[in-house]
Amino acid sequence: MDANTLDWNRTLREQFEFHWNHQLRARLAGLTDDEYFWSPVPDAWSVRPRGTSTAPVHAGAGDFTIDYAFPTPVPAPFTTIAWRLGHVLVGVLAARNAAHFGAPVASYETWEYAGSAATALDQLEAQLDVWLAGVRDLGEAGLRVPVGAKEPFPELLMADLVLHIHRELIHHLSEVCLLRDLYPHSESATDGAIR
């Protein structure tokens, strides 16, 4: 296939869609609340019922908040599946869907974090649908448009943002899969204790 006739929009979407449809979606299916909230180390950042966080910052608009600090401590705290999904939902997808594809404004402070694994996965599917439809609607020409002031590097093209978001999704959702792989080998899986 000639690069001049290659459908770059389809190719960029498929970078994530193939991984989602053939690996990630099946690996996330059946995520339990125990796995979602599991903390393999003490003091991990997570999503918690409002008023129970001891993190310097706890953001969120609903019954649950996400742990945070600014600046991020060094070393950064370990994060649970709940935290990682919250980050993907808000910082990676929802904020970009709002900035570029007309979705409702979203921020760490205004997001209603999921109190269950099933709700978090439903939110993830919904945000992915908006993202992938938005990228599809960009067509070829839209990929060549600068992202503008809505992003930290306004001169970069939308194609650069698409690649960045897909790297973020693959990276963080693979971390979630690794935590799921570890969970059955933990004491928490059998007796509820943190190992």
Side-chain angles (χ1 to χ4, degrees), residues 12-31 85 88-89 93 117-118 120-132 136 166 168-174 176-177 180:
L12 291 180
R13 280 185 286 112
E14 281 190 357
Q15 177 199 30
F16 179 73
E17 286 177 325
F18 184 88
H19 188 57
W20 175 252
N21 290 325
H22 298 283
Q23 293 174 318
L24 285 174
R25 178 181 271 143
R27 292 288 311 279
L28 295 175
L31 180 70
L85 287 177
V88 165
L89 283 163
L93 289 170
L121 293 178
D122 288 346
Q123 288 177 341
L124 179 61
E125 290 264 6
Q127 291 302 317
L128 284 171
D129 287 348
V130 173
W131 171 257
L132 292 169
R136 184 178 297 106
H166 292 177
E168 285 285 291
L169 290 169
I170 292 167
H171 165 78
H172 289 300
L173 294 175
S174 295
V176 168
C177 293
R180 284 200 80 190

